[in-house]
Amino acid sequence: MASKRRAPWQRLSEAEAAVNRAVAASRVGRYFKLDARKSSFTKELRAGAATFLTMAYIISVNAAVLTDSGGPCTFRDCTPANSTDAAPGPECTAVGTTNPGYEQCLARTKSDLIVATAVSAMAGSFAMGVLANLPLALAPGMGANAYFAYNMVGYHGSGPITYSTALAVVMLEGIVFLALSAVGLRSKLARMIPRNIRLASAVGIGLFLAFTGLQAHQGVGLVGASPSTLVTLTACSDVDPTTGACIAGTTMHSPTFWLGAVGFLITATCLAHDVKGSMVYGIVFVTVVSWIRGTTVTVFPDTPAGNAGFDYFKKVVDFHMITSTAGKLGFAGFRHGNVWLALVTLLYVDVLDTTGTMYSMAEYAGFVTEDGDGSFEGEYMAFLVDAGSTVLGAGLGSSTVTTYVESAAGIREGGRTGLTAITVAGCFMASLFFGPVLMSVPPWAVGPSLVLVGAMMMRVAKEIEWGDAKEGVPAFVTMALMPLSFSIANGIIAGLGVYVALHWYDWARHGWGKVRGVLDERRNQVAAGEVGPAAPQDEAAVSEIC
């Protein structure tokens, strides 16, 4: 009897299983511990793709934020309006002014920073995968880049520190952090964070991700600014350019929001049915629909910016060499106090923000050991890679490189080894050549995945000791302030502050009890020493009487 023909998907599944068995039995599979961590080669590839798609926005966003600082461009790049005019002064870089020469310099800088972002993310993620064997992706961090652009250098160089000096500060901070990691001090500092605060950090980061995914610039635009309640329901089709608030009658009328909502349901349905690659399908669907011109949801509207974006998209393949930002380090400005203040600030953000993120991802992935000290396999090399990537990023012209919370998307897909991070690195390398395609993924395609990753990260909340107010209250403060202050570091600081405030009396009483115990023991020893010599005489007297 003829054998029953198998469906194409069955043959594909069998081929996938064969590949997974072959890789797991190979030297590569043994090095990355695929069997030990209950993972497979194709699962790691899907996880890496999911992580990359949720963080691909950083390629354009980081470049845009850092370009606001002006980069290496100065008023000397400005061109006079007429050949007879004198050379322009610093006023040609001011807000609201447009100078052709300066704009051309900014365009070159942005192209350089796109490459710098992709290369630093590629190198950091690859090193994390190969050396630490962890599914954690790295890239220039949001928050640190804003501090670099708007506080250190200032808009178009209006701040207290020049771009070259700021890069030197970032590199020095990375070197200091590398030294702290090498001697093991960074991990010791991280382990000082109480377990309930670490668990709350994972929850808070999930809320942070969800809040980010609900906003307009990096998400679906469901929530936005309100002059009376700070935030409100938006998803509006038209906004006030001054306040950013919805025009009356346009709330919940945004076509891109509803397209993002469809992507959310696609991804959520796939997650509910344990479909492999759940995070990817929703992103791909929304992105492809958004590429269609002439629709209300297109990412290429009929505007000068939209037309320019579509022209770039049609290139599909493009490659750019860094020409102006790499190696622009300047140490001459270190004699000013602002430089050292910036260095301390970046160190503090790295210790609390970056380290907290890494421990939260390890907790979410189930890598943390059961002895309660918060350590995880690959921790030492992970810290070295994280710090070393910052040094590389500064050399290319970018801000601090950090472990990304979007790594949770790949972990949710089942990524458990360094192959996930290596896949992310491969995607970033591809972005160097396929930038026109990857930079055209709209925020409303990524936002739903960020929200769902946030939902997945809520699971560790049940492990917090809510019954003990001394543990539960600091944990709640930590998780609440992360999204509400839009800062992971602020949440950890506030949580630790409340934790100390609620425990200091117990610590003091416990410490005093120990001190009193030592004092009582020594007093007894002294008393025993005074009575000791008389004891034999007493015993002799007693036996004489007997």
Side-chain angles (χ1 to χ4, degrees):
M1 186 173 60
S3 60
K4 187 178 180 181
R5 291 190 62 182
R6 292 168 298 173
W9 67 267
Q10 289 178 316
R11 293 196 296 270
L12 184 62
S13 179
E14 291 173 1
E16 178 183 348
V19 170
N20 287 332
R21 287 194 299 270
V23 175
S26 68
R27 183 178 299 178
V28 172
R30 291 192 297 272
Y31 177 82
F32 288 104
K33 303 179 180 179
L34 285 172
D35 286 340
R37 296 187 181 179
K38 297 180 175 61
S39 186
S40 65
F41 179 66
T42 54
K43 184 185 291 185
E44 297 292 317
L45 295 182
R46 285 192 296 269
T51 297
F52 174 76
L53 287 173
T54 57
M55 63 183 290
Y57 69 88
I58 193 60
I59 299 174
S60 57
V61 172
N62 185 62
V65 170
L66 295 183
T67 301
D68 281 348
S69 73
C73 303
T74 66
F75 69 90
R76 295 181 179 86
D77 295 293
C78 296
T79 54
N82 299 300
S83 58
T84 57
D85 292 346
E91 67 277 0
C92 71
T93 66
V95 179
T97 61
T98 302
N99 182 280
Y102 191 71
E103 292 299 319
Q104 289 176 7
C105 182
L106 290 180
R108 290 194 303 271
T109 298
K110 186 173 182 179
S111 297
D112 286 353
L113 290 171
I114 286 173
V115 176
T117 301
V119 171
S120 56
M122 176 189 70
S125 300
F126 183 81
M128 182 66 76
V130 173
L131 301 178
N133 194 21
L134 291 172
L136 306 179
L138 286 79
M142 294 295 294
N145 59 1
Y147 177 74
F148 179 98
Y150 304 121
N151 295 93
M152 293 172 66
V153 184
Y155 186 80
H156 287 183
S158 59
I161 303 174
T162 64
Y163 175 74
S164 58
T165 302
L167 287 180
V169 172
V170 173
M171 177 170 282
L172 181 59
E173 182 264 339
I175 293 172
V176 172
F177 220 30
L178 186 64
L180 291 175
S181 301
V183 299
L185 186 58
R186 181 178 176 182
S187 58
K188 290 180 181 178
L189 289 172
R191 288 196 190 109
M192 293 174 64
I193 301 176
R195 182 174 183 272
N196 285 290
I197 299 294
R198 291 201 304 269
L199 294 171
S201 295
V203 178
I205 288 173
L207 295 172
F208 179 90
L209 279 176
F211 187 46
T212 301
L214 291 173
Q215 296 180 65
H217 296 298
Q218 297 168 19
V220 295
L222 180 60
V223 297
S226 167
S228 56
T229 59
L230 295 182
V231 293
T232 187
L233 199 69
T234 53
C236 42
S237 57
D238 198 9
V239 297
D240 187 322
T242 303
T243 63
C246 282
I247 302 296
T250 64
T251 302
M252 300 301 294
H253 283 65
S254 169
T256 55
F257 162 73
W258 290 110
L259 177 59
V262 173
F264 175 88
L265 291 176
I266 290 174
T267 304
T269 302
C270 291
L271 286 173
H273 293 84
D274 289 325
V275 177
K276 296 177 180 178
S278 302
M279 291 292 177
V280 179
Y281 297 134
I283 295 174
V284 171
F285 171 79
V286 175
T287 299
V288 171
V289 173
S290 300
W291 284 345
I292 303 173
R293 299 202 76 181
T295 66
T296 57
V297 296
T298 183
V299 74
F300 306 119
D302 190 15
T303 62
N307 293 331
F310 187 65
D311 290 339
Y312 183 58
F313 170 73
K314 288 189 295 185
K315 289 183 178 181
V316 181
V317 177
D318 186 42
F319 185 77
H320 174 81
M321 293 289 293
I322 297 178
T323 59
S324 62
T325 61
K328 296 293 182 180
L329 303 172
F331 293 90
F334 273 68
R335 60 181 180 272
H336 301 297
N338 289 325
V339 172
W340 297 103
L341 176 61
L343 176 64
V344 171
T345 301
L346 288 175
L347 274 171
Y348 130 78
V349 170
D350 252 349
V351 168
L352 295 177
D353 194 336
T354 306
T355 307
T357 299
M358 192 175 294
Y359 271 93
S360 297
M361 293 301 100
E363 188 86 43
Y364 179 57
F367 292 146
V368 177
T369 58
E370 298 180 357
D371 55 14
D373 67 348
S375 61
F376 56 92
E377 185 180 357
E379 172 186 40
Y380 180 76
M381 291 306 302
F383 286 145
L384 290 179
V385 168
D386 184 86
S389 299
T390 292
V391 176
L392 173 64
L396 295 172
S398 184
S399 54
T400 306
V401 176
T402 180
T403 301
Y404 255 58
V405 293
E406 282 83 353
S407 301
I411 294 172
R412 174 61 187 81
E413 280 297 314
R416 290 296 183 274
T417 76
L419 287 174
T420 294
I422 293 174
T423 302
V424 175
C427 292
F428 274 112
M429 184 174 69
S431 73
L432 294 173
F433 302 93
F434 295 96
V437 174
L438 295 173
M439 285 182 60
S440 300
V441 177
W444 54 88
V446 175
S449 292
L450 296 181
V451 174
L452 287 168
V453 168
M456 297 301 104
M457 295 185 70
M458 295 298 103
R459 69 180 188 184
V460 297
K462 64 182 181 181
E463 300 179 29
I464 298 174
E465 300 175 54
W466 294 111
D468 184 353
K470 293 178 181 178
E471 300 291 335
V473 172
F476 174 78
V477 170
T478 299
M479 65 177 65
L481 280 186
M482 283 186 182
L484 295 180
S485 68
F486 213 70
S487 170
I488 296 172
N490 286 347
I492 296 176
I493 290 172
L496 288 174
V498 174
Y499 188 89
V500 171
L502 295 180
H503 282 81
W504 74 268
Y505 178 76
D506 293 336
W507 293 339
R509 188 175 63 177
H510 180 69
W512 171 244
K514 281 191 172 183
V515 171
R516 189 170 61 180
V518 171
L519 293 177
D520 289 344
E521 184 179 349
R522 291 189 177 180
R523 191 179 300 115
N524 292 335
Q525 290 176 350
V526 171
E530 292 177 352
V531 176
Q537 297 177 4
D538 295 340
E539 290 176 5
V542 169
S543 38
E544 198 173 72
I545 292 172
C546 293

